[in-house]
Amino acid sequence: MTGSTSSSDSTHSPWQLARRCERMNPSVIREILKLTELPGVRSLAGGLPSADTFPVEAMRDAAMKVLTDTPREALQYAASEGFGPLRDWVSAMLAAKGVDAPANRVLITNGSQQGLDLVGKVMLDAGNTVAVETPTYLGALQAFNPNEPKFASVAGDDDGPLPEGIGALPQGTRFMYVLPNFQNPTGRVIPAARRDALVAAAQRANIPLVEDNPYGELWYDDEPPKPLASRWAEGTLYLGSFSKVLAPGLRLGFMVCPQTLYPKLLQSKQAADLHTGSFSQRVVHEVIKNGFLDQHIPTIRDRYRTQRDAMDAALKASMPAGCEWKKPSGGMFFWLRLPAGCDAMALLPKAVEAGVAYVPGAAFYADHPDTRTMRLSFVTLPPADIADAVQRLGNVIQAHLATNA
Ligand SMILES: Cc1ncc(COP(=O)(O)O)c(C=O)c1O
């Protein structure tokens, strides 16, 4: 093995780099987001929350209050575990969802993405197996990859991963990473009965679960079932985020883990960044401490429900026969499967030329990608632009099918 950077990087270091760098690759999404900056391109690619949902006034007032009441504490180094009242808030919020999450097992992180990184560092050595869904969140693959694991893709259906897939995992599989609610990228929810069966299978196989739930509050039809962590607290490491219910630029998330894992996760958090920003933790706590989210989240749901319905209507109007999708009941994404003979990655340049961008689905598979799939975000553009973008996309697919008929 050489110490050079991945061949997909545009620069090569003259210095010897760590072997783990070979498994660090540019995120396809970040690369595609650059295309969306080209003039005239309507982007269905990034999972950027609508900036109109950010509670700017509440944040401004809270920042002012924090800087008036506790300015020196807010600007000082602080505990690695996180701001005590915010940890208490997380604990109470999860208790209402049936999760036993005492505050001393809550760790405040720099976004839930940091939680994924810490889990990888604490749980994975080179060559270990980590189980993931098919497909799964690209950012989790990126976070785990530098630890040089082997990925075992667990087959699934519209209700999520199949429990028998867990039973068939190799001995010693370190954990299974699962997204029960409005999965990124497919948008599907795991129903309650499947959650029970997955937890039972994981318990039998003695494989802990890493449950990632950034989208759970973004439901537009029915509230999703209770978390996996409510079924198996001792075996589930739960990750949450303020990115989709407040604002992603805050970089604020949290994890709740079994007591046995807490000290090592805390030590790896200390090594990574000492602690999450004191100021943003205090401001967010000030905003949410008196039930702000109970009023705020329904306004986000209303907005995104309208955008979701606009995308479903546009897909029905514009997609050629043979395209498949399911209307998601929450989250941010549609998952579209193109007819045979289409490759979503190969079609992307033509789509960008026609003024629309998306993320080819192949990026979300640990192995054996389905190259006919793509992820479309409905939260960034207003309904009229969604309709226009989807129509452009439909035309590109139609033209491709016509020339290859
Ligand atoms: C499934 C999933 N997990 C984690 C994250 C990271 O979120 P955060 O902003 O909390 O770091 C994302 C971001 O889009 C995501 O889709």
Side-chain angles (χ1 to χ4, degrees):
M1 272 200 189
T2 70
S4 66
T5 52
S6 148
S7 57
S8 54
D9 278 351
S10 53
T11 53
H12 280 274
S13 168
W15 316 115
Q16 182 78 25
L17 301 185
R19 204 181 58 191
R20 72 179 68 84
C21 292
E22 292 177 18
R23 301 266 304 251
M24 294 178 189
N25 285 308
S27 156
V28 179
I29 297 185
R30 302 254 157 246
E31 295 301 299
I32 290 171
L33 283 178
K34 289 184 196 154
L35 297 175
T36 67
E37 285 156 20
L38 297 173
V41 175
R42 296 199 194 287
S43 179
L44 306 173
L48 299 186
S50 163
D52 293 337
T53 66
F54 302 160
V56 177
E57 281 304 309
M59 295 293 304
R60 187 182 291 131
D61 292 349
M64 194 56 88
K65 180 145 179 35
V66 167
L67 286 175
T68 305
D69 293 355
T70 52
R72 292 180 201 286
E73 295 86 338
L75 298 174
Q76 186 55 284
Y77 282 123
S80 300
E81 291 87 343
F83 181 48
L86 187 61
R87 296 169 77 205
D88 290 339
W89 184 92
V90 169
S91 172
M93 179 274 290
L94 286 174
K97 295 185 188 307
V99 180
D100 176 32
N104 66 0
R105 289 202 273 110
V106 174
L107 180 60
I108 305 293
T109 55
N110 217 354
S112 52
Q113 188 68 28
Q114 183 179 46
L116 294 169
D117 182 61
L118 300 182
V119 172
K121 283 192 177 129
V122 167
M123 306 283 284
L124 296 174
D125 286 317
N128 289 159
T129 300
V130 47
V132 293
E133 297 176 71
T134 318
T136 188
Y137 169 51
L138 166 64
L141 297 175
Q142 270 194 304
F144 301 148
N145 248 327
N147 304 294
E148 305 176 78
K150 285 189 213 127
F151 289 107
S153 294
V154 175
D157 59 18
D158 287 347
D159 287 345
L162 299 172
E164 48 274 33
I166 296 186
L169 287 168
Q171 274 272 309
T173 296
R174 288 299 170 101
F175 61 85
M176 172 149 183
Y177 172 66
V178 193
L179 281 142
N181 296 326
F182 319 120
Q183 195 221 28
N184 180 1
T186 62
R188 69 98 195 87
V189 180
I190 304 180
R194 177 68 63 87
R195 291 182 194 220
D196 289 340
L198 284 172
V199 166
Q203 286 173 328
R204 272 195 303 278
N206 196 26
I207 296 174
L209 298 171
V210 173
E211 174 175 28
D212 190 9
N213 187 26
Y215 301 105
E217 296 299 333
L218 302 185
W219 48 268
Y220 315 130
D221 302 323
D222 298 315
E223 190 171 350
K226 293 220 158 63
L228 303 176
S230 71
R231 293 160 164 81
W232 189 26
E234 320 79 71
T236 307
L237 216 149
Y238 179 97
L239 303 173
S241 174
F242 290 103
S243 289
K244 321 295 177 185
V245 293
L246 281 178
L250 293 162
R251 308 307 307 127
L252 213 53
F254 51 88
M255 64 200 297
V256 178
C257 64
Q259 191 58 55
T260 45
L261 295 179
Y262 196 88
K264 287 296 160 200
L265 286 163
L266 180 61
Q267 287 155 25
S268 91
K269 166 77 182 163
Q270 274 165 0
D273 61 3
L274 301 183
H275 64 83
T276 301
S278 324
F279 182 61
S280 59
Q281 291 188 73
R282 283 173 183 262
V283 171
V284 164
H285 179 254
E286 186 59 38
V287 170
I288 64 179
K289 68 181 185 190
N290 292 326
F292 173 82
L293 289 177
D294 296 340
Q295 275 87 55
H296 181 60
I297 292 173
T299 66
I300 304 179
R301 287 188 195 124
D302 288 346
R303 173 185 291 267
Y304 289 171
R305 184 184 299 109
T306 306
Q307 288 169 257
R308 175 205 58 175
D309 292 346
M311 183 167 278
D312 192 49
L315 288 167
K316 282 182 180 140
S318 305
M319 285 301 136
C323 289
E324 297 162 16
W325 71 93
K326 288 215 157 53
K327 183 175 169 179
S329 60
M332 297 189 168
F333 308 110
F334 276 72
W335 185 241
L336 184 69
R337 188 155 193 266
L338 304 175
C342 294
D343 178 321
M345 185 63 94
L347 274 181
L348 184 61
K350 286 190 190 131
V352 170
E353 214 172 282
V356 57
Y358 57 81
V359 184
F364 298 93
Y365 291 83
D367 46 35
H368 307 300
D370 180 346
T371 54
R372 286 162 58 183
T373 55
M374 63 172 70
R375 192 194 74 176
L376 306 175
S377 160
F378 56 86
V379 296
T380 318
L381 297 179
D385 291 349
I386 290 176
D388 178 62
V390 170
Q391 191 181 7
R392 288 167 193 239
L393 181 59
N395 292 344
V396 170
I397 299 167
Q398 188 73 67
H400 175 79
L401 291 171
T403 41
N404 291 279

